[in-house]
């Protein structure tokens, strides 16, 4: 994102949250974005917390990258800068929350309070009537002073049902719209959440239908309150990667890429060269390699058959060149990957051991990882267990005292972990990881 001038900016803004997951926040956020565009507004969309899937879906329908706003991973100044830059380019900023409004530390409510983002509470109205008013009242009153725009009801059976729901609201809580209950408006899911980029066409059609079905109330949700944003007090990262060529795996198997991470590498002077292991592409000429996370288990037959890339990666590692492998990227580097159907696929063989997919979630949480290059922040979220004789060079810790402590491994200059690193948390450490010097 580009920063035109260092002055305060005002624009309409909403933080779309609710009482928990499954309320339809992503559907409502996307529908509002398309609805606002149809009204001629310029819209920018963000996502709170560590998440790849919702931003991928929202990017598919808006056509623009969706950045993260996370007070732990990125920090307050980083979030302030992203919001300010968006306010320079947009008439409306939409921020989709994570889980429930007050869930997590930091929570969506923390972000809303820090930057004055008015909360639009999305509530699933199915199998409910006047109780909606009690839920809305609790969300508004739980933290005094929290900016609160109003309520949006999802999965509503009829106009009469909508009236029952909204008539229950206290006088100081506005009804800002509703969506009907319809199968074509629901987003399909899979084991890591919403569908990945491979299902863009279907997802886009569902959001388009939702935008057309959106029913405004006395005040349109897109007529959000105005918020003043100011730039973050950030020092530009040093050009420590000037002249460095970084090969980045990017396809259906390796697709978990924070836009801010790519921006961070480019800001430090790196040249990024994308390649597709699934498509059989070889490693382009490079000084360093980044294998991000994604869905390696769903495409193992394709990338594991890429013998030329296997040889290229081995040569790169033996030459002592830097390589970072995160979550799915690390899974691909082991000797073997066993998918959910118990089919074993040969990995790239750069790390001894094997990865086994499981039906249940194995790990979830924010992570602080202290490597020899410095401290980095990120998160982990995986359904697999990896076994290796390698001794960890470090173990991540959860800032909230959670049980997840992901191991980080190193062979030559190859660094691998389940942690998805957020590069803006420490650009200098990232530069040291990727530097060939």
């Amino acid at each position: 994102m580009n920063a035109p001038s260092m002055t305060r900016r005002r624009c309409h803004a909403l933080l779309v949250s609710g009482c928990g997951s499954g309320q339809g926040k992503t559907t409502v956020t996307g529908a509002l974005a398309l609805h606002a565009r149809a009204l001629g507004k310029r819209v920018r969309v963000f996502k709170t917390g560590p998440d790849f899937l919702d931003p991928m879906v929202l990017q598919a329908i808006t056509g623009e990258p969706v950045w993260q706003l996370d007070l732990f991973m990125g920090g307050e100044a980083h979030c302030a800068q992203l919001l300010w830059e968006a306010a320079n380019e947009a008439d409306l900023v939409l921020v989709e929350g994570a889980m429930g409004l007050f869930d997590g530390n930091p929570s969506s409510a923390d972000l809303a309070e820090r930057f004055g983002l008015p909360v639009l509470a999305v509530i699933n109205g199915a199998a409910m009537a006047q109780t909606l008013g009690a839920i809305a009242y609790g969300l508004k009153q739980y933290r005094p002073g929290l900016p609160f725009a109003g309520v949006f009801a999802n999965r509503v059976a009829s106009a009469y049902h909508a009236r029952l729901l909204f008539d229950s609201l206290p006088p100081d809580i506005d009804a800002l719209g509703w969506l009907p209950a319809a199968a074509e408006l629901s987003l399909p899911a899979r084991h890591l959440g919403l569908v990945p980029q491979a299902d863009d066409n279907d997802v886009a059609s569902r959001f388009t239908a939702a935008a057309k079905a959106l029913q405004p109330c006395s005040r349109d949700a897109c007529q959000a309150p105005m918020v003043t944003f100011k730039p973050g007090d950030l020092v530009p990262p040093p050009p420590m990667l000037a002249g460095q060529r970084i090969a980045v795996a990017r396809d259906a198997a390796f697709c978990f890429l924070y836009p801010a991470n790519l921006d961070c590498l480019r800001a430090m002077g790196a040249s990024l060269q994308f390649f597709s292991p699934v498509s059989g592409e070889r490693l382009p000429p490079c000084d360093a390699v980044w294998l991000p996370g994604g869905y390696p288990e769903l495409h193992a037959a394709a990338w594991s058959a890429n013998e030329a890339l296997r040889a290229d990666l081995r040569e790169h590692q033996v030459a002592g060149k830097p390589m970072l492998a995160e979550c799915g990227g690390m899974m691909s580097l082991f000797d073997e990957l066993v998918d959910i159907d118990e089919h074993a696929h040969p990995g790239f063989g750069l790390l001894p051991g094997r990865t086994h997919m499981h039906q249940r979630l194995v790990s979830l949480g924010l992570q602080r990882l202290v490597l020899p290059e410095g401290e980095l922040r990120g998160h982990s979220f995986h359904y697999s267990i990896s076994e290796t004789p390698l001794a960890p060079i470090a173990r991540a810790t959860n800032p909230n005292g959670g049980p997840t402590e992901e191991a980080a491994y190193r062979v030559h200059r190859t660094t691998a972990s389940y942690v998805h690193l957020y590069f803006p948390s420490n650009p200098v450490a990232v530069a040291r990881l990727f530097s060939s010097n």
Side-chain angles (χ1 to χ4, degrees):
M1 300 176 71
N2 299 317
S5 62
M6 301 300 286
T7 57
R8 295 185 177 215
R9 289 288 184 267
R10 283 172 59 82
C11 75
H12 300 280
L14 285 173
L15 187 143
V16 183
S17 190
C19 56
S21 298
Q23 302 298 299
K25 297 188 298 291
T26 304
T27 299
V28 172
T29 302
L32 287 174
L34 294 182
H35 176 66
R37 284 190 170 184
L39 297 175
K41 296 180 182 293
R42 299 170 299 167
V43 184
R44 292 301 308 271
V45 180
F46 290 92
K47 171 69 180 181
T48 66
D51 188 354
F52 292 104
L53 297 169
D54 288 354
M56 287 164 60
V57 169
L58 292 169
Q59 178 175 334
I61 62 109
T62 62
E64 296 184 13
V66 175
W67 272 264
Q68 310 302 123
L69 295 175
D70 188 274
L71 293 171
F72 170 75
M73 293 198 310
E76 185 174 311
H78 175 68
C79 293
Q81 184 70 15
L82 291 176
L83 285 167
W84 175 78
E85 290 176 0
N88 276 280
E89 304 167 357
D91 304 303
L92 173 65
V93 168
L94 295 173
V95 182
E96 184 194 345
M99 301 182 293
L101 179 58
F102 302 102
D103 295 333
N105 183 23
S107 66
S108 295
D110 293 329
L111 191 80
E113 192 170 52
R114 171 59 189 85
F115 296 108
L117 298 168
V119 173
L120 176 65
V122 176
I123 301 176
N124 181 359
M128 183 190 298
Q130 288 83 359
T131 302
L132 179 135
I135 295 173
Y137 177 83
L139 290 172
K140 185 177 188 297
Q141 299 297 328
Y142 184 77
R143 185 182 294 186
L146 182 70
F148 202 87
V151 172
F152 192 102
N154 191 28
R155 304 184 186 119
V156 179
S158 64
Y160 173 69
H161 184 204
R163 182 161 64 84
L164 290 178
L165 294 168
F166 291 139
D167 281 352
S168 70
L169 291 175
D172 62 340
I173 298 181
D174 291 330
L176 297 182
W178 58 277
L179 276 175
E184 63 270 19
L185 306 185
S186 299
L187 297 176
R190 66 174 34 145
H191 71 285
L192 288 183
L194 299 176
V195 292
Q197 288 173 318
D199 304 297
D200 276 358
N201 291 335
D202 177 60
V203 169
S205 67
R206 292 173 187 267
F207 275 107
T208 300
K212 292 179 178 178
L214 191 149
Q215 301 293 317
C217 293
S218 57
R219 180 162 65 89
D220 193 316
C222 291
Q223 297 173 340
M226 294 288 287
V227 179
T228 300
F229 298 105
K230 60 181 180 179
D233 185 17
L234 285 177
V235 177
M240 295 174 64
L241 293 175
Q244 291 287 103
R245 300 165 300 173
I246 301 178
V248 183
R250 183 170 67 175
D251 55 25
F254 305 94
C255 53
F256 290 170
L257 293 153
Y258 285 128
N261 283 8
L262 301 176
D263 284 354
C264 183
L265 294 175
R266 292 187 179 111
M268 291 189 290
S271 171
L272 306 184
Q273 303 174 69
F274 298 99
F275 69 102
S276 171
V278 169
S279 300
E281 294 180 356
R282 299 192 63 166
L283 188 68
C286 62
D287 304 295
V289 175
W290 179 19
L291 300 174
Y295 294 95
E297 72 281 3
L298 299 182
H299 306 276
W303 60 258
S304 67
N306 193 339
E307 296 291 347
L309 178 58
R310 179 179 282 104
D312 292 342
L313 291 173
R314 170 65 64 184
E315 181 180 350
H316 183 95
Q317 183 189 62
V318 171
K321 294 182 178 180
M323 185 185 312
L324 175 64
E326 299 177 325
C327 198
M330 179 182 72
M331 292 161 60
S332 73
L333 292 188
F334 285 117
D335 296 319
E336 186 178 66
L337 188 154
V338 181
D339 64 25
I340 202 70
D341 297 317
E342 298 297 328
H343 296 146
H345 304 272
F348 289 129
L350 272 63
L351 301 175
R354 71 198 295 263
T355 295
H356 200 137
M357 294 299 302
H358 288 254
Q359 292 280 2
R360 298 175 63 86
L361 181 66
V362 173
S363 176
L364 168 66
L366 294 170
Q367 297 285 288
R368 178 186 285 112
L369 180 62
V370 181
L371 295 170
E373 291 78 11
E375 178 185 310
L376 283 155
R377 297 184 176 191
H379 79 285
S380 64
F381 189 109
H382 56 94
Y383 279 70
S384 69
I385 292 177
S386 296
E387 300 171 343
T388 177
L390 292 172
I393 62 164
R395 284 195 179 275
T397 58
N398 184 295
N400 298 317
T404 302
E405 295 184 352
E406 303 289 6
Y409 305 101
R410 182 163 291 173
V411 175
H412 299 295
R413 290 290 308 281
T414 298
T415 304
S417 172
Y418 270 120
V419 180
H420 298 278
L421 299 175
Y422 193 72
F423 295 174
S425 66
N426 191 341
V428 171
V430 170
R432 291 168 179 162
L433 270 176
F434 283 108
S435 177
S436 59
N437 300 326

